[in-house]
Amino acid sequence: KFGELPLASDGWRHRRSNGDYFIIHPVQRAYEAYGLSTLTFPELGISEPLVENLKQQHVLSPTHFQVEGIRAMLDGSHLLLAAETGCGKTYTYLVPVVEQILRRRLHERQRDFNTPLMLIITPGRELAQQIGAVAARLTDGTGIKTRIVLGGRTKQQMLNPSFEDIDILVASFGAISKLITSGIYRMEEVRYVVLDEADTLLDDSFNSKLLHLMKRFPFHKNHLQDLGEGIHGTQLILAAATMPSNMEELLARLVNVETIEQVLSPNLHRLMGHVTQRFMRVRKSDRPQILLDLVRKDAKRNVPTIIFSNKTPACDFVSMHLNGHGLPCVNLNGDMILKLRLGQFEKFQQAEVNVLSTTDVASRGLNTIRAAHVINFDFPLYTADYIHRVGRIGRIGSRNDCLATNLISSQAEIGAVQRLEHAARTTNVLRNVDANVKGIIRRRMQKLSGMPN
């Protein structure tokens, strides 16, 4: 099925191939991958306080992608920001929205408590915390107030709610949908709705509830406009590193808008050209020892490492296995209770430990610029998951010698590797990138049973 192109992994389905490996070497540097623009933030219309705050975060110049995205945002268009992980999508939508909130301040009437101007929805708690922290640093000294709402304490927040001035509300989806329904947060003043990691939010796990929530906003047909009597339309922004092939169909079900401007990176759905990627054919029984050897080598060189597993039991095993051999490791997965989960990612970020064992809960959106090595203890069977996992390294601000190591054991994993290798050898985009895993499984089950879609 791969034509005449010979693959290094061609013979991997034979048991004697154990111990074989191949490496995809970098073809460019990180700064070449992201491409800094010659334009400056002031030339894009961004005011001095925000420019100074960006400098404090070592963001001195926008990338080409950010320039295009910021211009489209300021124009008021509904917007899809689709680009590889780590290229600065969060600043691409935050900077122009904060700029517009500052401009509104000059003639804005007093708003009620808990009525934000901007709502940012994420699929997970760690990402909501991260974006909230970025927003707080960007707006430092401007008087703009950011509030972060996480799941796990929703009942407590409903019984004992806090009321305050809020400009930017950042929330995980499960928590905010309940708090809006109960009337604690009111949406009538919201002018900007951001779905961060939109491909995940649009999948079958969230879709019906998200559809209900989106009906609360007066999305304008094309771009920002006055709807009369002081009521303004809401601007929709979607940010994603992978885009399902049926994105237009999903959006049509979600909101009634005529056009959504797309700002797409040329590197979208491509293997990261500035990250070394190593694929090792190993026996499943040998993986724990191989992992131990890899992490010990990283510990000697002080390399921060993220280890991905497909399921919680494997994630827990990796953490116990490493800690039991004297290699400090923190564990993070979606099945952990909130008390245990909160702060686990921060321990890795703040260099309290150098190894993080996790599931895909940490693969989407989290800015892990200190990480230099990603190990796939379990290889992901879906291309979108591989893109997101490897995207934890090689980000803007990361070191240049980042490495992804993949341990390959099963026949299904070999098939997934061969698709990646073929794309790398032909320099083509990765095919069948679809983050809607639940939808894929549902469609396959329907096909097997002969049911209509």
Side-chain angles (χ1 to χ4, degrees):
K1 64 184 176 181
F2 295 116
E4 298 298 316
L5 189 70
L7 302 178
S9 54
D10 266 343
W12 277 20
R13 295 192 182 278
H14 197 285
R15 59 184 174 80
R16 289 188 180 177
S17 64
N18 287 316
D20 196 7
Y21 72 94
F22 71 91
I23 297 172
I24 299 175
H25 293 281
V27 294
Q28 60 187 165
R29 298 254 181 200
Y31 68 86
E32 294 170 334
Y34 296 120
L36 291 177
S37 171
T38 55
L39 288 174
T40 64
F41 284 109
E43 288 171 335
L44 291 172
I46 307 305
S47 55
E48 188 60 30
L50 297 189
V51 173
E52 283 303 312
N53 286 347
L54 286 166
K55 285 179 183 175
Q56 292 298 316
Q57 304 307 313
H58 310 290
V59 181
L60 306 179
S61 301
T63 63
H64 294 300
F65 176 82
Q66 287 174 329
V67 166
E68 196 177 343
I70 288 171
R71 281 176 166 165
M73 281 287 304
L74 292 172
D75 184 47
S77 305
H78 294 305
L79 195 58
L80 169 62
L81 298 169
E84 68 277 14
T85 58
C87 71
K89 289 187 291 293
T90 304
Y91 279 129
T92 305
Y93 65 73
L94 264 180
V95 169
V97 170
V98 171
E99 175 62 36
Q100 290 177 96
I101 291 175
L102 287 174
R103 293 176 190 176
R104 287 175 63 95
R105 282 271 164 103
L106 300 174
H107 51 79
E108 185 185 34
R109 59 181 174 78
Q110 184 67 37
R111 279 178 288 116
D112 293 336
F113 289 147
N114 288 12
T115 54
L117 288 170
M118 181 185 199
L119 173 64
I120 304 172
I121 302 174
T122 75
R125 299 164 186 169
E126 284 77 18
L127 182 55
Q129 281 183 309
Q130 175 184 289
I131 294 171
V134 171
R137 290 193 293 268
L138 178 63
T139 58
D140 185 39
T142 64
I144 292 176
K145 294 181 175 62
T146 299
R147 168 93 170 141
I148 304 170
V149 174
L150 306 176
R153 300 174 182 157
T154 313
K155 283 186 180 177
Q156 185 182 335
Q157 291 178 75
M158 289 169 71
L159 292 170
N160 187 25
S162 61
F163 293 93
E164 57 194 318
D165 285 325
I166 301 172
D167 296 299
I168 300 173
L169 180 61
V170 188
S172 57
F173 176 73
I176 196 60
S177 60
K178 292 172 186 172
L179 293 170
I180 290 173
T181 303
S182 63
I184 292 169
Y185 291 99
R186 292 160 49 195
M187 298 292 105
E188 61 263 27
E189 299 281 357
V190 169
R191 299 292 169 260
Y192 312 95
V193 171
V194 178
L195 303 183
D196 202 297
E197 296 301 319
D199 54 334
T200 304
L201 287 169
L202 289 170
D203 79 12
D204 288 13
S205 304
F206 295 93
N207 202 268
S208 59
K209 292 179 182 176
L210 185 64
L211 182 65
H212 180 71
L213 180 61
M214 290 296 103
K215 288 178 180 176
R216 293 179 174 270
F217 304 103
F219 290 114
H220 48 89
K221 288 283 186 181
N222 294 304
H223 54 81
L224 203 58
Q225 58 186 334
D226 192 323
L227 300 179
E229 298 182 9
I231 301 171
H232 294 264
T234 301
Q235 188 177 3
L236 176 66
I237 303 102
L238 303 103
T242 52
M243 226 172 37
S245 53
N246 63 336
M247 178 68 95
E248 288 186 9
E249 174 196 331
L250 293 170
L251 286 174
R253 281 166 32 196
L254 185 70
V255 289
N256 181 27
V257 298
E258 289 177 359
T259 58
I260 292 187
E261 187 170 339
Q262 297 187 1
V263 177
L264 309 178
S265 164
N267 296 320
L268 182 68
H269 295 177
R270 292 182 182 275
L271 287 172
M272 297 180 79
H274 56 288
V275 171
T276 304
Q277 295 167 73
R278 175 172 59 185
F279 298 82
M280 302 170 66
R281 177 75 167 94
V282 300
R283 292 184 187 89
K284 194 166 186 177
S285 58
D286 292 338
R287 286 190 304 168
Q289 184 58 50
I290 291 169
L291 178 68
L292 208 56
D293 294 340
L294 290 169
V295 175
R296 277 179 177 150
K297 193 179 290 185
D298 285 346
K300 285 179 183 176
R301 297 184 296 124
N302 196 32
V303 175
T305 304
I306 301 177
I307 303 164
F308 283 103
S309 303
N310 289 345
K311 294 184 178 177
T312 295
C315 175
D316 292 340
F317 164 77
V318 166
S319 178
M320 289 187 290
H321 180 57
L322 294 177
N323 281 305
H325 284 83
L327 295 164
C329 170
V330 289
N331 186 6
L332 174 63
N333 60 72
D335 293 332
M336 296 171 73
I337 62 172
L338 184 65
K339 263 185 187 175
L340 291 176
R341 183 170 164 180
L342 282 178
Q344 292 293 86
F345 181 65
E346 282 305 305
K347 287 178 185 175
F348 178 78
Q349 287 287 71
Q350 301 302 322
E352 291 180 36
V353 292
N354 259 2
V355 185
L356 172 68
S357 172
T358 185
T359 57
D360 282 310
V361 73
S363 71
R364 280 164 165 74
L366 296 182
N367 190 26
T368 51
I369 58 170
R370 75 176 294 265
H373 191 187
V374 159
I375 300 174
N376 280 315
F377 182 72
D378 290 324
F379 193 75
L381 298 181
Y382 299 99
T383 307
D385 292 335
Y386 183 78
I387 290 172
H388 284 284
R389 288 183 184 185
V390 177
R392 296 316 98 210
I393 53 179
R395 306 170 71 82
I396 291 179
S398 295
R399 50 200 271 181
N400 287 322
D401 59 342
C402 290
L403 169 67
T405 299
N406 303 284
L407 307 184
I408 315 301
S409 301
S410 73
Q411 295 296 314
E413 290 171 345
I414 292 167
V417 166
Q418 289 181 336
R419 290 192 293 274
L420 292 175
E421 187 189 349
H422 185 268
R425 289 184 179 277
T426 56
T427 65
N428 285 333
V429 295
L430 295 163
R431 296 169 62 190
N432 301 322
V433 177
D434 193 339
N436 188 2
V437 174
K438 207 168 180 181
I440 293 170
I441 295 169
R442 176 177 51 78
R443 287 194 293 273
R444 283 182 183 169
M445 293 297 289
Q446 287 172 339
K447 192 174 181 181
L448 288 170
S449 63
M451 290 171 60
N453 287 331

